[in-house]
Amino acid sequence: MKTLRDRTETMRLLAKEKQVDLYIAYSHGGLQKRSTREQGIFRDEIKNRRNTALHNAELSCPAIPKKLSGATYILKLANGDSLFFSLTGSQVQDADNTMDWEYWFDTLRICLKITS
């Protein structure tokens, strides 16, 4: 529960940062699976004008496979490089005493070649 509270606090701080884009992505209809109270909190955060970095991203898929449930962060550094940090694990409401977690951390290089 402590990590959940810490993450919530961190996300609320990041949502107000001018140099951040924070996408809250969830499956199609996923928001409706939350309680009325949770939906209200989410909608209030989305409407909050101070949360300039916060973006609501409902996906078209009806469910997110457990293997992909988690969080992904792409950090752009001052020198132009990007770092990739991702984790997968059980959502709090699905957690039990035997949760498996996976973490990835590496540089992120995207090369695009555009031809006309």
Side-chain angles (χ1 to χ4, degrees):
M1 290 307 293
K2 181 183 179 339
T3 59
L4 178 62
R5 284 189 296 273
D6 290 349
R7 187 174 68 161
T8 301
E9 184 177 322
T10 300
M11 293 299 105
R12 285 194 169 119
L13 290 171
L14 286 174
K16 293 170 179 53
E17 288 294 323
K18 290 180 174 53
Q19 295 182 354
V20 170
D21 280 311
L22 178 61
Y23 291 87
I24 306 299
Y26 51 92
S27 62
H28 182 71
L31 184 59
Q32 288 71 33
K33 294 176 184 175
R34 302 293 182 200
S35 71
T36 303
R37 180 179 173 275
E38 291 169 327
Q39 290 179 43
I41 291 168
F42 179 76
R43 288 190 176 107
D44 288 347
E45 292 294 338
I46 292 293
K47 290 177 190 174
N48 185 337
R49 292 183 184 188
R50 292 179 293 165
N51 291 338
T52 57
L54 188 59
H55 306 284
N56 181 13
E58 182 174 15
L59 305 174
S60 61
C61 58
I64 297 173
K66 270 189 164 184
K67 187 74 173 164
L68 299 177
S69 182
T72 299
Y73 304 89
I74 298 173
L75 310 167
K76 294 182 182 178
L77 306 178
N79 67 2
D81 289 343
S82 294
L83 297 176
F84 174 83
F85 173 68
S86 186
L87 60 100
T88 60
S90 300
Q91 295 296 317
V92 171
Q93 67 271 17
D94 300 327
D96 59 28
N97 291 331
T98 59
M99 292 188 304
D100 290 325
W101 289 89
E102 295 179 353
Y103 299 90
W104 296 270
F105 184 73
D106 205 344
T107 57
L108 179 66
R109 292 190 176 92
I110 300 175
C111 299
L112 298 175
K113 181 178 180 182
I114 301 173
T115 59
S116 53

